[in-house]
Structure formats: structure tokens, C-alpha cells
Amino acid sequence: MYMDDYKRWCAAKLEDPDLSTELAIIEGKESEIEDRFAVSLKFGTAGLRGVLGAGSNRMNIYVVRQATQGLANWVKTQGGTQTVAISYDSRIKSDLFAQAAACVLAANGIRVRIYDTLMPVPALSFATRYYHANAGIMVTASHNPAKYNGYKAYGPDGCQMTDEAADIVYAEIQKTDILNGAKTISFEEGLASGMIQYVGEDCKEALYDAIKARAVRPGLCKTAGLKLVYSPLNGSGLVPVMRVLKDIGIDDITVVPEQERPDGNFPTCPYPNPEIYEALRLGLELAKKSGADLMLATDPDADRVGIAIRCPDGSYQLVSGNEVGVLLLDYICAGRIEKGTMPERPVAVKSIVSTPLADAVAESYGVEMRSVLTGFKWIGDQIARLEADGEVERFLFGFEESYGYLAGPYVRDKDAIIASMLICEMAAYYRSIGSSIKERLEAIYSKFGRYLNKVDSYEFPGLSGMDKMVSIMDSLRKNPPAEIGGYKVLKVTDYKKPEETGLPAANVLIYALEGGATVVVRPSGTEPKIKTYFTTLGRDLAEAEAQKAVLSDALKPILA
């Protein structure tokens, strides 16, 4: 079957010459052909993500058109404005895929609002809401290596698409022939007819205004003298992040020159991921040379941000996603109480794999902390519920341990633009009172205990990888461990049982251990990986790290 599909693609007059070249190169190489054609990329709530190339199991304009025809079929049943917003990042062919999607939508009688240049995830979420669109499309593979691209689909609320909608779209995709089943017109024809229009300056400015309106201490940065090094990691963050930081008064910004311009090859780091030291290495070297107070980096689609802070001895410390989440929560709460801008009955939201230290901090400020499934759409869902009750201003802050943050309800996905603004404002504030982010973090640990949160990741590549992951999760459910690393398991929470958790079903297991530690086992929704999240609590960092090492070693034989 897959060989027939390969021959069909070879016989077709493909519009992208790169695909024809690739098909010729793999002629006679059955394993290569099987890898590209034996299966198709599956469309889910996170859309599509895969390696660039030829075939149904790769990202290319034919897969994008097929997916967009499926999306168009769904949009046509939804009434409303019959509009879809589109944005894209710096990845290879992102602009071509965005235009291909626009052409399919326009051919189906659906209006398109597409950005005239690359813009990040929060800009797409905002435009979807601003234009009252039925859906949004973001062409990105987030922080994956350069050989990947992807296609994230959003609902009318600016949240990533619901399971129900994604299932309908996927069913429509399967009815659509990949090579010729999608309707399409030329991009020029779409522009000329008015079916395709660029996102207006009014929408762009409204996003910036909405972000700046969430400042905790407006005007502070103009006089604080903060010195910053910033890297957009060759992605889409440069223009929006720099615009907002300069607007709030931060002028001393050095951009990492090798990572300044959009470049989908990401030449300076194999993984353009702000969680990884290698991605931040050039920024850290520049920070040390210039004596910057702070170094920050946004990922290619600028929905996540990582930071390094200057310590009293002049060294720089990377701050984890959990730590930044706790620091921002603490800063926002304290600042809003001080300024009298704290809403009544404030609500913060975090994912179930994020640190319980955030619960303790929230409680100390009288803030309700809600824990939701992993995936920022569940944080967006909590904002939507507040909005439906006419209480959207209660939403204060949401975060995930994987470096995603949002303060305010103006978008429904994580936003590295506002996170960058608030991190800089926080650094400027502590600097202005003779303190630092480092000192504040140590004060939080001193008050609440030394929490350590670490993630291990196990990869399962190839066609058999997903089967292996399913087998491991099944085995853990059928034969639950009585202890891990000598620590007795007190409770197992299986999130596949919504009747027990009160949350939608999810493939997550959480083990509560004797002594207070927890271990979470969760397969990734977008990559062939199983992740294990460890939370340990010690009298000091060494004690917490020692326990994490014991727990990690105990799980390796099961997961490796």
C-alpha cells in the first residue's frame, strides 16, 4: 500500500521541487519509503507536527492543504463570521504553509486574516479573538529541531482546538485525497478578491496595548536602569518583545547577534528550546561580558521564555520554569495588593505537573489556585469559565513548568511577550529596592521549604515507538509499583479515571510517596517521549537532589 502511494506521488506533478528531489533520492530504499508513506501524521488538539519532507508522514504543502480542507469543512458548519486567522514563525517553509492554508480556506469561501510577517502564538490567539474568527492556524513546531514543522489549530476562543472539534476535523481530513482533494486558489487571487486580507495595524496595536495594560507597576522600568540581554533564538519574538520592552522604558537591551534574525535552520543550537542550556549559551556569554542584570530567550513561536539571573558573585543562574512561575505569581500578588489592583477572589491556574510550591505561595496571598491537565488549553478553559460567569477579571496568572506563562485574559495560550515584560519589570523592581530576583527566590524557599522539580525524558523513536510507550503505560497500570527507590507509594492517581480526579481523562499517572515526594509519569502529546516529573522537598537543595536521583534511578529500568 505504501509503495503504491510512493509511486503515485512520484507520478504527480508536485509544486514543491524539494519533494520531487527527495522522492528520487529514496527510490529503491524501502525502509525510507515506508517511513514516509506507511502512516499519516495524525491531527489532534495540538494539530500536526512532523519532519519536513515528502509523504503523508511528513510536513509538506499537501499535508497542510489536506488538513486545512478538513478544517474548512468544519468551519462551514459553524456559522459566525466564517473567518480564520493565520500566523507563522521562522521555521523552514512556515510562510509557504501559511499561504497554502489561506488559499484553501479562500477557495472554500472562508475569509482569511493572515499576518504580513511572522508573528508568535499569542498574536495568533489574539487575532482569532479580535476578528471573532471561527478558528486560527499557527504554523510552527515550537521548540523542535530545525527539520520539524507543524500546524496548530485554534478554536474561536483563541484556545487550542477542543477534542470534539479536532475529532471532526480529523474525520474530514481522512475523507480528503492528499494530493488533489483540497480546493485551492492562488494567493494573489485570494488577495485580489478580498477573501484573504492581512491582519491590520489596529489588531497589532491592540495586542500590545492589552499586554502593557497588565503591568503591575506601570512606569517603574523607565527609571530602574535595568541592563538586559535578549535572544529570540532566530524566531518570531524579536519585533513584539522588543516593541513592548522599549514601550515600558527598557532601553539597555543587547540582542544576541547570532540569534537575532529569523532563521529556520537555527544555526547556533540543535534545539531552539529555552529550557536547554545550549540554546542560552551565547546569551549567557554576552551577559557575562556586559554585566547584564538579566538574560532572557524566547522560543521560535515566542510562547515560552527562559531566563538567567545575575548572582551577587557575578555568575549567572538559569531559573527553571517552575521557579519563574512561582516568582511571577509572588510578584504579581504582592504588587497588586500593594497597588490596590488585586481583583476580588483572585484565581491562578497551573498544570498538575507544575510545582506544589505555587499552591503554597497562592494560599499565602489568599489566591485560589486551580490545577488542570497539562496543555495550556486547559488554563485557557478556566479563563473561559470565568468569562462565561462574567468574572474574567478574577484571572490573575497561569503557568506550566515548561516555561509557559500568561497574565490576563486577552489571549488563551501562553505568551512570552507578556512574560518577558513582567520578568523585566520584576527584575527592575527588585533592583530598585536594593534586592534581586535571586534574593527573592531564596526568601521564598526559606519561607516555604526547598522544593526541587526535575523532569526526565525517555525517547521512543521510529514506527514502533508509540507502541512501546503504550505498553509501558499499560504495564504501570496493571502492575502498579508498591515503592519507588525505597519510598512507599501511598497513593496512585490515574487521570484516565475522570470520576476520581474531576478532570477530563488523560494518560497521566501520579504517585504520592511517603515523605511528601511525588512522581508523575506522562507520555508527551506531541513527541514520541515519556516524561517523568519529580517533586522532592528537602531541608536544603542537596537533600532534595539526592532524593530525586534515587527516584530517577529506580524508574530507569521501567522506562529506558
Side-chain angles (χ1 to χ4, degrees), residues 209-429:
D209 289 345
I211 290 169
K212 289 180 287 187
R214 303 302 296 193
V216 177
R217 293 181 169 91
L220 173 79
C221 292
K222 290 176 181 173
T223 57
L226 188 74
K227 192 176 181 69
L228 174 69
V229 168
Y230 168 58
S231 172
L233 295 180
N234 302 115
S236 62
L238 179 69
V239 170
V241 170
M242 291 291 283
R243 162 67 191 272
V244 168
L245 293 185
K246 286 185 179 295
D247 279 0
I248 65 167
I250 300 175
D251 294 319
D252 193 348
I253 306 173
T254 303
V255 181
V256 179
E258 301 92 332
Q259 298 173 336
E260 182 172 7
R261 296 295 160 201
D263 185 346
N265 292 299
F266 307 116
T268 63
C269 52
Y271 285 86
N273 183 348
E275 294 181 69
I276 296 172
Y277 171 80
E278 182 58 28
L280 274 61
R281 182 178 57 80
L282 289 172
L284 285 166
E285 289 172 3
L286 202 52
K288 286 170 187 171
K289 281 181 193 170
S290 64
D293 300 291
L294 182 67
M295 185 261 154
L296 60 87
T298 53
D299 66 343
D301 58 345
D303 60 354
R304 302 185 315 138
V305 59
I307 74 167
I309 53 175
R310 191 168 188 269
C311 299
D313 63 0
S315 66
Y316 286 81
Q317 176 184 330
L318 297 182
V319 188
S320 74
N322 273 312
E323 288 174 327
V324 172
V326 166
L327 281 161
L328 283 174
L329 176 66
D330 171 70
Y331 174 73
I332 291 167
C333 290
R336 292 210 174 281
I337 289 170
E338 177 196 313
K339 294 290 184 183
T341 56
M342 181 69 100
E344 288 187 24
R345 296 185 299 131
V347 172
V349 191
K350 69 174 182 65
S351 63
I352 56 175
V353 299
S354 299
T355 180
L357 176 56
D359 297 76
V361 170
E363 185 181 8
S364 73
Y365 287 108
V367 173
E368 177 191 350
M369 176 60 79
R370 299 180 182 179
S371 292
V372 295
L373 297 178
T374 305
F376 221 86
K377 68 177 182 178
W378 298 113
I379 295 175
D381 177 62
Q382 290 296 319
I383 304 172
R385 292 182 188 206
L386 291 167
E387 188 172 50
D389 293 335
E391 300 179 334
V392 75
E393 283 306 316
R394 288 178 62 196
F395 174 72
L396 198 66
F397 182 65
F399 83 98
E400 294 184 312
E401 50 73 40
S402 54
Y403 294 58
Y405 318 98
L406 177 63
Y410 59 95
V411 295
R412 301 297 156 87
D413 208 339
K414 46 195 178 286
D415 178 4
I417 311 171
I418 197 168
S420 297
M421 180 187 84
L422 289 173
I423 288 165
C424 289
E425 186 190 296
M426 174 171 66
Y429 170 69

